[in-house]
Short mmCIF file of all heavy atoms in Angstrom, two decimals:
data_model
loop_
_atom_site.label_atom_id
_atom_site.label_comp_id
_atom_site.label_asym_id
_atom_site.label_seq_id
_atom_site.Cartn_x
_atom_site.Cartn_y
_atom_site.Cartn_z
N PRO A 340 -0.22 87.11 2.75
CA PRO A 340 0.04 88.53 2.51
C PRO A 340 -1.14 89.15 1.78
O PRO A 340 -1.89 88.45 1.11
CB PRO A 340 1.27 88.49 1.59
CG PRO A 340 1.27 87.14 0.99
CD PRO A 340 0.64 86.22 1.99
N PRO A 341 -1.33 90.48 1.95
CA PRO A 341 -2.43 91.15 1.26
C PRO A 341 -2.27 90.97 -0.25
O PRO A 341 -1.16 90.78 -0.75
CB PRO A 341 -2.27 92.61 1.65
CG PRO A 341 -0.91 92.73 2.23
CD PRO A 341 -0.54 91.40 2.75
N GLU A 343 -2.20 92.74 -2.88
CA GLU A 343 -1.28 93.51 -3.74
C GLU A 343 0.14 92.94 -3.70
O GLU A 343 0.89 93.03 -4.65
CB GLU A 343 -1.29 95.01 -3.38
CG GLU A 343 -0.86 95.35 -1.97
CD GLU A 343 -2.04 95.32 -0.99
OE1 GLU A 343 -3.07 94.66 -1.30
OE2 GLU A 343 -1.96 95.94 0.04
N LEU A 344 0.48 92.29 -2.55
CA LEU A 344 1.82 91.73 -2.46
C LEU A 344 1.91 90.36 -3.13
O LEU A 344 2.98 89.86 -3.39
CB LEU A 344 2.24 91.61 -1.01
CG LEU A 344 2.68 92.91 -0.36
CD1 LEU A 344 2.93 92.70 1.11
CD2 LEU A 344 3.93 93.46 -1.03
N PRO A 353 12.08 92.94 -4.91
CA PRO A 353 12.50 91.71 -4.23
C PRO A 353 11.26 90.97 -3.71
O PRO A 353 10.31 91.61 -3.29
CB PRO A 353 13.37 92.22 -3.08
CG PRO A 353 12.94 93.62 -2.86
CD PRO A 353 12.39 94.15 -4.17
N THR A 354 11.26 89.67 -3.79
CA THR A 354 10.07 88.92 -3.40
C THR A 354 10.08 88.58 -1.92
O THR A 354 9.07 88.22 -1.37
CB THR A 354 9.95 87.61 -4.19
OG1 THR A 354 11.23 86.98 -4.14
CG2 THR A 354 9.55 87.85 -5.61
N LEU A 355 11.23 88.68 -1.29
CA LEU A 355 11.33 88.14 0.06
C LEU A 355 10.61 88.94 1.15
O LEU A 355 9.74 88.40 1.82
CB LEU A 355 12.78 87.92 0.45
CG LEU A 355 13.30 86.53 0.12
CD1 LEU A 355 14.76 86.40 0.54
CD2 LEU A 355 12.47 85.45 0.84
N PRO A 356 10.98 90.21 1.35
CA PRO A 356 10.45 90.86 2.54
C PRO A 356 8.99 91.22 2.39
O PRO A 356 8.63 92.32 2.05
CB PRO A 356 11.32 92.12 2.68
CG PRO A 356 11.87 92.38 1.32
CD PRO A 356 11.79 91.12 0.55
N MET A 357 8.12 90.28 2.67
CA MET A 357 6.68 90.52 2.52
C MET A 357 6.07 91.00 3.83
O MET A 357 5.05 91.65 3.83
CB MET A 357 6.00 89.24 2.12
CG MET A 357 6.42 88.81 0.73
SD MET A 357 5.02 88.42 -0.27
CE MET A 357 5.12 86.70 -0.41
N ALA A 358 6.72 90.63 4.93
CA ALA A 358 6.10 90.98 6.21
C ALA A 358 6.27 92.49 6.44
O ALA A 358 7.31 93.04 6.07
CB ALA A 358 6.78 90.22 7.34
N PRO A 359 5.27 93.12 7.04
CA PRO A 359 5.41 94.55 7.34
C PRO A 359 6.61 94.75 8.25
O PRO A 359 6.72 94.06 9.29
CB PRO A 359 4.11 94.92 8.03
CG PRO A 359 3.25 93.69 8.03
CD PRO A 359 4.01 92.56 7.46
N PRO A 360 7.51 95.67 7.93
CA PRO A 360 8.77 95.79 8.65
C PRO A 360 8.60 96.20 10.11
O PRO A 360 9.42 95.84 10.94
CB PRO A 360 9.55 96.85 7.88
CG PRO A 360 8.51 97.57 7.03
CD PRO A 360 7.40 96.61 6.81
N GLU A 361 7.51 96.91 10.44
CA GLU A 361 7.40 97.43 11.81
C GLU A 361 6.90 96.37 12.80
O GLU A 361 6.93 96.60 13.99
CB GLU A 361 6.43 98.63 11.84
CG GLU A 361 7.00 99.89 11.17
CD GLU A 361 8.40 100.24 11.69
OE1 GLU A 361 8.56 100.28 12.92
OE2 GLU A 361 9.30 100.44 10.85
N GLU A 362 6.44 95.23 12.29
CA GLU A 362 5.84 94.23 13.18
C GLU A 362 6.85 93.74 14.22
O GLU A 362 8.01 93.53 13.92
CB GLU A 362 5.37 93.05 12.35
CG GLU A 362 4.24 92.31 13.00
CD GLU A 362 3.91 91.05 12.21
OE1 GLU A 362 4.48 90.87 11.13
OE2 GLU A 362 3.12 90.26 12.70
N ARG A 363 6.36 93.55 15.45
CA ARG A 363 7.22 93.06 16.50
C ARG A 363 7.49 91.58 16.24
O ARG A 363 6.59 90.84 15.89
CB ARG A 363 6.46 93.23 17.82
CG ARG A 363 7.36 93.50 18.97
CD ARG A 363 6.52 94.10 20.10
NE ARG A 363 6.99 93.51 21.34
CZ ARG A 363 6.28 92.63 22.03
NH1 ARG A 363 5.12 92.23 21.62
NH2 ARG A 363 6.78 92.15 23.14
N PRO A 364 8.73 91.14 16.42
CA PRO A 364 9.01 89.72 16.17
C PRO A 364 8.21 88.83 17.12
O PRO A 364 7.93 89.23 18.25
CB PRO A 364 10.51 89.59 16.42
CG PRO A 364 10.88 90.77 17.23
CD PRO A 364 9.91 91.87 16.90
N ARG A 365 7.84 87.66 16.61
CA ARG A 365 7.06 86.74 17.44
C ARG A 365 7.88 86.20 18.61
O ARG A 365 7.35 85.81 19.63
CB ARG A 365 6.57 85.57 16.60
CG ARG A 365 5.36 85.94 15.78
CD ARG A 365 4.93 84.80 14.87
NE ARG A 365 5.37 83.49 15.30
CZ ARG A 365 4.58 82.55 15.77
NH1 ARG A 365 3.32 82.79 15.90
NH2 ARG A 365 5.05 81.37 16.09
N ARG A 508 18.83 86.85 18.25
CA ARG A 508 17.68 87.25 17.45
C ARG A 508 17.70 86.52 16.09
O ARG A 508 16.70 85.98 15.63
CB ARG A 508 17.70 88.77 17.23
CG ARG A 508 16.34 89.40 16.98
CD ARG A 508 16.45 90.86 16.60
NE ARG A 508 17.50 91.12 15.63
CZ ARG A 508 17.42 90.80 14.34
NH1 ARG A 508 16.35 90.19 13.89
NH2 ARG A 508 18.42 91.06 13.51
N GLU A 512 15.01 83.79 14.60
CA GLU A 512 14.33 84.07 13.33
C GLU A 512 14.49 82.89 12.37
O GLU A 512 13.54 82.43 11.75
CB GLU A 512 14.98 85.30 12.72
CG GLU A 512 14.03 86.29 12.13
CD GLU A 512 14.78 87.58 11.83
OE1 GLU A 512 15.63 87.56 10.92
OE2 GLU A 512 14.53 88.59 12.56
#
Side-chain angles (χ1 to χ4, degrees):
E343 61 272 21
L344 283 174
T354 48
L355 269 180
M357 292 229 252
E361 290 309 310
E362 207 187 352
R363 212 161 140 252
R365 280 177 23 110
R508 206 187 45 73
E512 223 167 68

